[in-house]
Amino acid sequence: MFENINKFSPKQETNIEKEIGEEENRVKNLLEKESSMSIGLSDKARKILRMMVTVSALTLLPATVGTGIYEMFRLESNAIERMEAVHNGSGVILEKTYHKAVNPGFDNPYYSLKLEINGKIIEAQVNESIYKNVTQNEHVSFQYHDRGSTGGPEIIINSLQ
Amino acid sequence: MKQDLLEKLKLELERSTLSEKDKLDLVSVFSRFPEVEAKMLLELIGEDNDILHLLSDNLKLKRDINLDDKDSWKKVFDNEKEVLSSIN
């Protein structure tokens, strides 16, 4: 049943080699995280985890989205529960700071906001284009996801009040 | 993956009780495994042929993932936790 699988034209083979290079990089990046995931697992379970991570890297084609979320879930066992724990609230922007791009052309300027949520002060980076009109002392309603150790808090500002 | 490793994997798949479609799906992914992982996979299958069924289920779940649906991700996550805890 597998007789036709490896019959490709030279052009197809070149493309396949390029794709394999990209995929190997994607696998490598995910496997670098694998060592921290496998703490406490038996040797066999560790190898199977490695196989599953490899399958992930090779099947989740939208890599920047897919593997990003995947890594988060793998690295933090309660990541899903954390994602579900969305806090809705409203509050005041205590501080707003503008940060210049470090490498103009490669990254973007951004704002960091300091907000008070349920008595807790949090800070988050936000995209300049969305939040440039938000000012200090302004009342906003927002959603807040605590992403734990896998990334800074994420704030989605719903509306100005 | 080197041709000789791929041939060995195909032989293992031929011996398995997976459906023809599942076998072809696995070959399409296995053929892109880096060499180190391919060797490890052959070792694992040599010890326990059920690994092919585990990986086939895992592959199907991942192919069906809807990136916008948390429940879809949770299915994969739960499947992997279950596999690892049953083996560990």
Side-chain angles (χ1 to χ4, degrees):
Chain A
M1 65 178 285
F2 301 121
E3 60 273 14
N4 292 321
I5 282 180
N6 294 306
K7 291 179 182 168
F8 299 110
S9 69
K11 189 180 174 188
Q12 280 175 315
E13 282 185 358
T14 307
N15 287 339
I16 288 166
E17 278 170 20
K18 189 178 165 216
E19 282 174 19
I20 287 174
E22 289 167 2
E23 284 178 337
E24 288 202 358
N25 277 336
R26 192 154 64 218
V27 173
K28 193 177 159 215
N29 288 339
L30 263 186
L31 288 176
E32 278 174 9
K33 311 279 184 188
E34 182 249 347
S35 57
S36 61
M37 298 174 212
S38 59
I39 292 167
L41 294 179
S42 68
D43 188 51
K44 186 176 178 186
R46 188 178 52 76
K47 286 180 182 171
I48 290 171
L49 172 63
R50 196 175 177 97
M51 295 302 105
M52 294 194 294
V53 170
T54 308
V55 169
S56 291
L58 295 174
T59 53
L60 299 177
L61 295 177
T64 50
V65 177
T67 56
I69 298 172
Y70 184 78
E71 282 173 26
M72 182 179 83
F73 282 5
R74 299 290 338 172
L75 290 169
E76 195 171 358
S77 60
N78 63 349
I80 291 172
E81 288 74 16
R82 281 177 175 278
M83 271 188 80
E84 286 167 352
V86 177
H87 308 285
N88 285 297
S90 61
V92 177
I93 296 172
L94 302 176
E95 280 180 32
K96 177 187 172 190
T97 311
Y98 178 73
H99 301 263
K100 284 183 183 173
V102 179
N103 297 300
F106 292 96
D107 57 8
N108 297 313
Y110 65 93
Y111 287 109
S112 62
L113 298 179
K114 190 182 275 187
L115 291 132
E116 185 177 341
I117 298 174
N118 300 331
K120 186 179 164 190
I121 306 290
I122 60 159
E123 290 185 67
Q125 293 180 7
V126 289
N127 183 285
E128 180 198 27
S129 59
I130 302 171
Y131 298 102
K132 65 182 175 186
N133 295 324
V134 177
T135 59
Q136 195 171 332
N137 298 323
E138 195 149 16
H139 287 260
V140 292
S141 71
F142 50 80
Q143 288 186 336
Y144 164 52
H145 295 189
D146 182 354
R147 294 189 295 179
S149 60
T150 56
E154 179 185 22
I155 294 174
I156 300 166
I157 292 183
N158 296 325
S159 63
L160 302 179
Q161 291 181 325
Chain B
M1 181 192 296
K2 283 186 176 172
Q3 193 60 32
D4 59 326
L5 293 176
L6 185 58
E7 292 306 322
K8 284 179 188 170
L9 277 170
K10 285 178 185 174
L11 276 176
E12 294 288 353
L13 281 166
E14 291 280 19
R15 289 192 200 113
S16 79
T17 55
L18 289 165
S19 73
E20 296 302 292
K21 183 183 179 311
D22 290 345
K23 288 178 190 175
L24 282 170
D25 280 348
L26 282 179
V27 165
S28 78
V29 175
F30 288 165
S31 63
R32 292 177 288 140
F33 264 45
E35 196 173 335
V36 174
E37 281 68 39
K39 283 180 179 168
M40 197 184 279
L41 177 62
L42 272 169
E43 271 176 37
L44 278 170
I45 296 169
E47 290 169 15
D48 181 357
N49 207 262
D50 285 346
I51 302 295
L52 284 173
H53 290 263
L54 291 178
L55 289 176
S56 179
D57 290 344
N58 190 245
L59 174 61
K60 276 184 249 179
L61 281 171
K62 284 171 181 165
R63 286 236 165 108
D64 289 342
I65 272 183
N66 172 0
L67 292 172
D68 299 323
D69 178 5
K70 278 185 291 184
D71 287 340
S72 176
W73 279 102
K74 197 171 186 314
K75 273 187 198 167
V76 176
F77 190 54
D78 288 346
N79 164 264
E80 298 197 346
K81 275 201 294 192
E82 197 180 319
V83 168
L84 293 175
S85 61
S86 69
I87 290 163
N88 218 30

